[in-house]
Amino acid sequence: MSYVLWYDEAKLGIFIHWGVFSVPSFTSEWFWYYWKGPKPQKSAVDFMKNNFRPGFTYADFASQFTTEFYNPNEWADIFAASGAKYIVLTSKHHEGFTNWPSNYSFNWNSNASGPSRDLVGELANAIRSRTAIKFGLYHSLYEWFNPLYLQDKESNFTTQNFVKHKTIPELYEIVNKYKPEVVWSDGDAGPDTYWTSKEFLTWLYNESPVKDTVVTNDRWGKGCACKHGGYYTCQDRYNPGTKQNHKWENCMTIDRRSWGYRRNTNLNEFLSVHEIISTLASTVSCGGNMLMNVGPTKEGKIIPLFEERLRDLGKWLNVNGEGIYSTVPWSHQNDTLAKNVWYTMKHSGNSQVVYAILLSYPEDPVLKLGAPLPSQTTEVTMLGYPNSFKWISGPGGQGLYITIPTIPWNRLPCQWAWVLKITELEN
């Protein structure tokens, strides 16, 4: 099965980028590559030169990955409050450091270095014991500076020592040990035949402990993205704005510039709540899920601004979740007359319910929607508001002209965006 129903209905997930890169917390989670890669970035090189002793290595950062304030129960409560239905934690990023005590990452894992904890296992237990959220794991296929990978790359991927001794054993290990219901693969430099992706996925979908519930993305080898996978991610922050024929996901960040935590970020570099809701509305309207990323600190804290964004989104979903969760795309995604309106739909018996997500509050007393075709029994309400709205048909019976009552701002059911529920439309 390409994807399962729970994933399609979930609509919202939380991505968590956390690792040794959270220690320097400068530039992004690609800091090591920017510092020591084939084309070093001056900002990363100068940062190390000006702030650390000569001879300091990236591995030296691991001892400072302390996680002393990491409280998985607190994280679980924040994620539950956000309205998210699944999470995806980085088990290992391209730096190769595993956030669990892997048997295949000697001395470069969260139990042997730094935290002396099983970061993955602790969060898996908290999520499953305290919430109904599905637990998922991100895993990088490749590692920038692993000698085995670099040798395989040098051979033009004709040898597979890194895959056989590192990548695939790790994947089997995390699936068998933590039973993630999302396996989010990344770092797919090299063909899928090199990664033996088909063989692993065959096991995952047919024999693994999560074979009946697991979903996977499309990053399993060069050329797979947007072509092969349970759901497509295509590229980071993918949001096509039009309905897609294959299930897809918009993985995006609250920090516009980084997936990992950055100590030198500024307020204007974070998405506002309105921008987050706008992204969610456009994504869900076109058939996608939104996977929204936060980057915890090296101490294990989700900073207050991230927490505020998550909780505010949850407040909005508490009122308007009916128009998001378990919906499907309607015949129109945008309205033909009104701006900043996205549509979703649900089937209710033999009829359909259409939701119009208004990203700006109507300035005129009559909101003119061009897409709906009303019937005599059409009813219009606003989620969270008790009374029905009056309406008339547009010219020739096409369109819905809705009278917006005068509602004091403090009596509106929510902030940032509003959802009209439209029932009994003509087919």
Side-chain angles (χ1 to χ4, degrees), residues 157-410:
F157 301 112
T158 56
T159 60
Q160 293 177 301
N161 289 320
F162 178 72
V163 176
K164 292 177 180 177
H165 298 291
K166 192 73 163 65
T167 295
I168 292 300
E170 284 179 350
L171 280 167
Y172 279 106
E173 189 176 44
I174 59 172
V175 171
N176 283 317
K177 189 170 184 177
Y178 303 111
K179 301 174 179 56
E181 289 175 282
V182 180
V183 177
W184 214 102
S185 182
D186 194 21
D188 52 359
D192 65 280
T193 50
Y194 166 70
W195 296 115
T196 62
S197 299
K198 291 179 182 177
E199 291 82 353
F200 171 75
L201 290 168
T202 298
W203 171 82
L204 184 68
Y205 280 116
N206 291 284
E207 299 177 46
S208 79
V210 288
K211 60 185 176 65
D212 297 323
T213 55
V214 72
V215 290
T216 58
N217 65 338
D218 56 349
R219 302 186 186 188
W220 293 95
K222 192 173 181 179
C224 286
C226 239
K227 293 180 180 178
H228 305 287
Y231 59 88
Y232 294 166
T233 60
C234 298
Q235 68 260 356
D236 294 348
R237 302 177 181 87
Y238 177 64
N239 194 9
T242 56
K243 181 183 174 182
Q244 302 299 299
N245 293 325
H246 191 92
K247 185 63 188 182
W248 62 281
E249 181 179 77
N250 176 3
C251 60
M252 43 74 74
T253 59
I254 297 177
D255 177 346
R256 302 172 197 270
R257 293 175 51 190
S258 177
W259 302 80
Y261 170 67
R262 292 187 301 139
R263 286 178 290 156
N264 61 327
T265 190
N266 298 310
L267 183 61
N268 63 5
E269 292 172 331
F270 292 97
L271 295 183
S272 68
V273 183
H274 184 265
E275 288 172 313
I276 291 169
I277 292 171
S278 300
T279 304
L280 178 64
S282 61
T283 298
V284 173
S285 177
C286 298
N289 284 15
M290 186 174 85
L291 185 63
M292 179 171 62
N293 180 77
V294 296
T297 70
K298 72 182 183 70
E299 296 87 4
K301 287 295 290 184
I302 294 170
I303 62 170
L305 190 138
F306 281 148
E307 181 179 351
E308 181 184 54
R309 293 291 187 272
L310 295 179
R311 291 188 182 278
D312 281 346
L313 178 59
K315 291 175 186 175
W316 187 84
L317 284 166
N318 281 340
V319 175
N320 301 293
E322 179 186 335
I324 298 292
Y325 303 123
S326 303
T327 60
V328 296
W330 190 40
S331 56
H332 293 72
Q333 278 63 64
N334 302 106
D335 192 65
T336 54
L337 279 180
K339 294 181 179 179
N340 298 322
V341 176
W342 291 92
Y343 288 106
T344 61
M345 183 189 78
K346 276 181 183 172
H347 293 287
S348 179
N350 295 325
S351 62
Q352 63 183 22
V353 178
V354 172
Y355 300 92
I357 305 169
L358 315 180
L359 299 180
S360 56
Y361 198 78
E363 296 180 358
D364 299 325
V366 176
L367 173 65
K368 297 180 179 179
L369 299 179
L373 186 63
S375 68
Q376 290 183 339
T377 56
T378 293
E379 183 180 17
V380 180
T381 57
M382 177 184 285
L383 294 183
Y385 186 74
N387 303 326
S388 298
F389 291 4
K390 295 179 180 179
W391 61 269
I392 59 172
S393 298
Q398 176 68 49
L400 197 59
Y401 290 14
I402 303 165
T403 300
I404 303 297
T406 302
I407 306 172
W409 194 250
N410 62 355

